[in-house]
Amino acid sequence: MLDSFYIAWKYISYNRIKTAVLVACVTLISFLPFALQLLLNGSERQLMSRAVSTPLVIGAKGSALDLVMNTLYFGDERPEVISMQAANRIWDSELALPIPTYTRFKARGYPIVGTTLDYFDFRGLNVESGRNLAVIGECVVGARAAEDLKLKPGNSLVSSPESLFDLAGVYPLKMKVVGILEKAHTSDDLAIFVDLKTAWVIQGLGHGHQDVTQLKDPTLVLKRSGTNVAATAKLYHYTEISEKNIDSFHFHGNTDIYPISAVIAVPADEKSGTILQGRYLGKNETQQILRPAEVIDGLLQNIFRIKNVLDAVVSVVALATVMAIVLVFALSLRLRQREIKTIFKIGCSRLTIAKLLAAEILIIVAASGVLCGIMLTVVNRFTNDLVRMLFIA
Amino acid sequence: MIQINDLEFHYPTGNFSLAIEALRIEKNEKTAVIGPSGTGKTTLLNLIAGIASLDRGVIAIGGIDVGRLNDRERRRFRITTIGFVFQDFELLDYLNVLDNIVHPYRISDALNLDASVRARAADLADAMGIGDKLKRRATDLSQGEKQRTAICRALLPQPRLILADEATGNLDPENKTKILDLLFAAVEEHDTTLLAVTHDHELLERFDRIIDFKDFGNFRF
């Protein structure tokens, strides 16, 4: 059999292009269903585990999926904003602990998540190096984001402007990195966490500037009446919150009506959760309360339905490929009739011819298997990223 | 060496038939088979080699009745006893010269490929003047070199009989003479019998004996 493999190897390495095409066909057709299964398992694991660990999510009425994807995985689809009153309402109900999140901004492609310290306790996120958030203007970076952006405590990170063409928009905020989180193997690894107030500063709802009462330059003053001073647009706004200027940062108006994306509600018990859900059933209710596990389960049901269709398509393609491969081997045998006739004349048996052909098929299948294995290993290694790319981002 | 008695053969299709009452070829004899196309020269070689089966009669090679052997025995007998040299060389393009020469050892368990066989193959190639081309692919050889390789392949298992089917048919006049010289020298050196089908009448005088198939039908030699 070793000699058959030797001759088969010589034959297939001589016919490189034909062999490469066959190996590519077999590899792809075996890779597709396995990769699909791997991705679906990964998506089910990744999506469901986080959904199950998040009891309730409250947000504006609209797409339940967008709200859950944005709150749990910081996806790009932004739901309508709600106000901080939504969090206060839950707090006042004493049925659950509200954890507001605001995920509108990004820094170098990674989502900035404005939240409270309760979020870190709720998700069990620990700071690996540095410390947790203490004052506004600081940020704590997820493990993977820190790795990708090469950040460590003491570095700074600038928020990205929402649109380059928004000339009237707010200035980007230079945030101080005070901590790097331990790896959590969830979307938290890819996020940049800031205090809610910092997120509002990024939005321009809060700001810091020179003390207008001390202004000497008349071009900076528009109007002065008693203790009130109206400054001109020339007034310098701070783009970084530091120890020196932190006291100058302030918010205009009532922060209760400031925007947030959603509230994660952590009920004291099952009963409290059910009661809380009941409070959002009113006809005039502008907010919705969701159990993320149910929403994600619905999404997965759809994905699996699509997977079944894909399985059928892959099966048909696989059948066509196998038939094409059989045809290739049949044609190859016809082309090699003379060679076969010669080795028959020399004294070779039909069994040896079959062995030669089997060895060729085995080598091609083995090469395809190895290639398929390598590709599946790569897919497996990057399943989380692929799931994020396919189902979340 | 070869003893044929009352041979009768008919192709299942067509009306061709071959009948030989008696034919004897002695050991070490170099015999040429000539005659017009379609008179059964190649068929005779196939019958002697046990590739085609007789309808009647006996073909004995070295005292062994080929017709009485079963398929497996016939194949083993053929690969160990008979060396084939073909008109179109029938080398495998994807193998190099050395692999082509040792090919019979790789396709049959009747022959055992070991270091001594490889060494003998290299010696044979040296003797045939292709010793420096062992690693070359068959496609990179000239016609003459291809036929030398084919002769090495036929001689390597040390057969008692060489069947050459128009072995010089595809060669230029210079190569024809050279290849025949090499074939004859190898036959003598390896104590082998040669039965060669040929259309080259100018080479006939070099053979010990000539069998002419011009009279289609029944033969008695």
Side-chain angles (χ1 to χ4, degrees):
Chain A
M1 195 66 196
L2 216 60
D3 285 324
S4 301
F5 273 107
Y6 179 83
I7 295 170
W9 172 250
K10 288 282 175 184
Y11 178 78
I12 62 174
S13 53
Y14 181 71
N15 295 285
R16 280 180 206 149
I17 295 173
K18 185 185 113 179
T19 306
V21 170
L22 283 175
V23 168
C25 288
V26 178
T27 303
L28 283 177
I29 216 64
S30 41
F31 166 76
L32 272 175
F34 286 118
L36 207 61
Q37 194 57 51
L38 214 59
L39 277 177
L40 287 176
N41 290 345
S43 61
E44 189 179 14
R45 193 179 54 241
Q46 198 181 334
L47 295 175
M48 214 55 194
S49 64
R50 201 158 165 92
V52 166
S53 63
T54 310
L56 293 167
V57 167
I58 292 105
K61 277 197 170 169
S63 165
L65 189 60
D66 285 354
L67 178 62
V68 169
M69 296 307 266
N70 182 268
T71 311
L72 270 61
Y73 313 103
F74 319 127
D76 282 342
E77 291 297 329
R78 287 190 210 135
E80 286 288 316
V81 292
I82 52 174
S83 72
M84 260 308 274
Q85 279 170 341
N88 295 338
R89 178 180 168 189
I90 297 165
W91 182 259
D92 294 341
S93 75
E94 295 182 351
L95 291 168
L97 170 72
I99 304 171
T101 61
Y102 193 29
T103 54
R104 177 173 162 182
F105 307 100
K106 288 195 169 192
R108 290 166 67 186
Y110 291 85
I112 294 173
V113 181
T115 187
T116 60
L117 290 175
D118 288 333
Y119 185 87
F120 297 92
D121 294 334
F122 168 64
R123 291 281 184 219
L125 299 174
N126 297 314
V127 176
E128 191 179 59
S129 60
R131 60 168 173 79
N132 211 331
L133 304 170
V135 292
I136 61 167
E138 293 178 343
C139 68
V140 167
V141 185
R144 177 75 187 281
E147 203 177 294
D148 294 350
L149 300 174
K150 296 181 175 54
L151 292 174
K152 53 183 190 293
N155 292 154
S156 51
L157 183 64
V158 181
S159 65
S160 309
E162 281 192 288
S163 165
L164 284 173
F165 305 104
D166 184 11
L167 297 178
V170 291
Y171 293 108
L173 181 71
K174 189 176 178 183
M175 298 172 289
K176 190 178 172 191
V177 178
V178 293
I180 307 296
L181 294 173
E182 278 177 3
K183 259 198 178 126
H185 304 285
T186 62
S187 299
D188 295 327
D189 288 344
L190 292 162
I192 294 152
F193 293 98
V194 297
D195 185 77
L196 262 182
K197 285 179 178 169
T198 308
W200 290 333
V201 169
I202 293 170
Q203 195 176 348
L205 297 173
H207 56 220
H209 49 72
Q210 293 162 281
D211 185 354
V212 289
T213 59
Q214 305 294 317
L215 292 176
K216 301 270 188 304
D217 182 355
T219 61
L220 292 172
V221 180
L222 198 65
K223 192 173 146 193
R224 215 185 271 270
S225 58
T227 54
N228 290 333
V229 180
T232 65
K234 196 182 170 187
L235 185 74
Y236 179 74
H237 282 249
Y238 299 119
T239 54
E240 182 180 3
I241 303 170
S242 64
E243 277 178 28
K244 282 181 188 170
N245 67 20
I246 191 166
D247 293 335
S248 75
F249 274 82
H250 54 276
F251 296 88
H252 293 280
N254 182 5
T255 53
D256 283 356
I257 57 163
Y258 275 20
I260 54 172
S261 305
V263 182
I264 296 172
V266 187
D269 48 41
E270 189 64 36
K271 185 182 169 188
S272 305
T274 311
I275 295 169
L276 190 65
Q277 275 185 286
R279 298 207 177 161
Y280 288 85
L281 295 176
K283 263 187 182 176
N284 300 323
E285 182 58 60
T286 55
Q287 291 162 14
Q288 60 178 331
I289 187 164
L290 302 165
R291 282 194 182 275
E294 288 170 7
V295 177
I296 295 299
D297 189 52
L299 171 70
L300 288 171
Q301 295 298 329
N302 283 332
I303 292 172
F304 280 110
R305 234 170 270 144
I306 294 167
K307 195 239 171 198
N308 288 340
V309 175
L310 279 176
D311 277 348
V313 172
V314 168
S315 304
V316 172
V317 174
L319 185 69
T321 309
V322 169
M323 283 163 74
I325 290 168
V326 169
L327 186 70
V328 167
F329 275 104
L331 287 173
S332 168
L333 271 183
R334 281 191 75 168
L335 288 171
R336 295 168 72 184
Q337 270 307 304
R338 209 182 152 112
E339 172 193 334
I340 291 166
K341 219 170 164 181
T342 303
I343 58 176
F344 260 132
K345 272 190 176 178
I346 292 173
C348 171
S349 65
R350 277 194 178 78
L351 181 67
T352 307
I353 302 284
K355 275 185 192 172
L356 285 173
L357 200 66
E360 279 172 30
I361 294 170
L362 268 173
I363 291 172
I364 287 169
V365 169
S368 307
V370 170
L371 263 178
C372 184
I374 292 169
M375 286 162 72
L376 286 174
T377 309
V378 172
V379 169
N380 194 36
R381 166 81 178 75
F382 296 104
T383 301
N384 285 353
D385 294 328
L386 285 167
V387 168
R388 194 170 175 81
M389 199 170 80
L390 292 170
F391 302 113
I392 298 169
Chain B
M1 178 65 194
I2 304 174
Q3 178 68 53
I4 298 175
N5 289 321
D6 299 325
L7 179 152
E8 255 184 47
F9 173 78
H10 304 269
Y11 271 113
T13 54
N15 51 10
F16 174 81
S17 66
L18 180 67
I20 299 174
E21 274 184 39
L23 170 63
R24 185 178 172 81
I25 294 169
E26 299 302 331
K27 192 182 173 193
N28 298 346
E29 203 172 24
K30 293 185 276 291
T31 307
V33 180
I34 59 167
S37 297
T39 50
K41 302 184 295 295
T42 300
T43 304
L44 176 63
L45 297 192
N46 287 342
L47 288 168
I48 291 170
I51 294 165
S53 298
L54 299 170
D55 293 333
R56 201 166 75 89
V58 174
I59 294 179
I61 299 168
I64 295 169
D65 184 350
V66 178
R68 285 180 179 270
L69 301 176
N70 64 29
D71 269 0
R72 187 165 181 271
E73 289 166 340
R74 217 181 295 171
R75 277 198 309 272
R76 289 178 78 90
F77 177 76
R78 187 155 71 235
I79 206 160
T80 53
T81 314
I82 299 169
F84 263 102
V85 183
F86 305 98
Q87 180 180 4
D88 295 322
F89 329 123
E90 308 291 359
L91 300 177
L92 302 180
D93 291 346
Y94 54 88
L95 297 180
N96 64 25
V97 170
L98 182 62
D99 283 334
N100 262 297
I101 295 173
V102 300
H103 196 233
Y105 285 78
R106 293 197 190 275
I107 56 168
S108 171
D109 53 7
L111 301 170
N112 182 31
L113 180 60
D114 56 25
S116 67
V117 173
R118 285 176 215 273
R120 217 171 62 239
D123 291 344
L124 258 175
D126 264 339
M128 288 282 168
I130 50 169
D132 57 337
K133 296 180 172 70
L134 290 177
K135 294 287 168 195
R136 278 212 202 163
R137 279 237 172 87
T139 43
D140 299 334
L141 300 176
S142 68
Q143 300 290 86
E145 287 166 345
K146 282 182 182 172
Q147 196 57 298
R148 287 166 206 231
T149 306
I151 293 171
C152 290
R153 179 179 64 188
L155 288 170
L156 188 65
Q158 298 172 310
R160 283 180 282 164
L161 173 65
I162 296 275
L163 298 177
D165 194 356
E166 299 188 41
T168 54
N170 270 351
L171 302 174
D172 56 75
E174 194 188 338
N175 261 317
K176 269 180 194 174
T177 315
K178 276 187 190 168
I179 291 294
L180 208 63
D181 286 345
L182 287 168
L183 191 58
F184 278 21
V187 163
E188 272 161 25
E189 193 188 329
H190 293 90
D191 198 22
T192 308
T193 306
L194 173 68
L195 183 61
V197 169
T198 182
H199 283 117
D200 292 320
H201 286 244
E202 64 269 30
L203 303 174
L204 292 180
E205 61 187 34
R206 304 187 60 182
F207 286 88
D208 300 330
R209 187 178 168 198
I210 298 159
I211 298 171
D212 193 346
F213 266 47
K214 75 180 172 204
D215 301 316
F216 180 79
N218 292 302
F219 303 99
R220 183 180 182 85
F221 301 102

